[in-house]
Amino acid sequence: VQLQASGGGWVQPGGSLRLSCAASGSIFGINDMGWYRQAPGKQRELVAVTTSGGTTNYAESVKGRFTISSDNAKNTVYLQMNSLKPEDTAVYYCKSNARRSYYSGPMDYWGKGTLVTVSS
């Protein structure tokens, strides 16, 4: 399973960005897809995740500002980020818990990160 993320960049405080992440390759089923981020000198943390059943979960720091959504037909997850703050600056990683085949168990797959910079 390969994850390709896009949509990072630079934005001023208060601005918006939309990240996308598409899963491809041998995919039997996807349990969840989500976004994590890692700021310089900090540990990687959960930003938002959505499950195949439609459940979503957000970090407290982004609730009300970020929205995660998915297109199951395209195996793609989106992260709409509004009211961005300098503290949102980080490398954002896409992650999916998925099965490659009927015979394989679920595993976590990670995409390469995309940098989001929020500054004036």
Side-chain angles (χ1 to χ4, degrees):
V1 178
Q2 294 81 45
L3 300 176
Q4 182 65 49
S6 61
W10 173 84
V11 65
Q12 292 185 334
S16 298
L17 281 176
R18 189 189 194 212
L19 305 183
S20 300
C21 175
S24 62
S26 178
I27 302 172
F28 177 75
I30 293 177
N31 294 322
D32 63 48
M33 293 187 75
W35 295 93
Y36 288 70
R37 68 186 180 186
Q38 187 166 19
K42 295 187 177 181
Q43 290 188 331
R44 192 173 297 188
E45 62 176 1
L46 171 72
V47 177
V49 64
T50 182
T51 70
S52 58
T55 301
T56 58
N57 189 33
Y58 294 91
E60 286 295 326
S61 60
V62 307
K63 282 184 178 179
R65 300 187 297 122
F66 292 10
T67 302
I68 191 169
S69 61
S70 63
D71 184 335
N72 294 335
K74 296 181 179 179
N75 290 332
T76 299
V77 65
Y78 307 95
L79 185 67
Q80 179 66 43
M81 305 185 293
N82 298 328
S83 302
L84 282 160
K85 304 176 181 180
E87 50 264 44
D88 294 317
T89 295
V91 177
Y92 283 69
Y93 296 90
C94 178
K95 185 186 83 72
S96 177
N97 183 272
R99 295 173 63 186
R100 294 182 59 189
S101 72
Y102 175 82
Y103 302 101
S104 63
M107 289 182 60
D108 286 340
Y109 298 90
W110 291 87
K112 293 181 179 179
T114 184
L115 178 62
V116 172
T117 303
V118 185
S119 73
S120 54

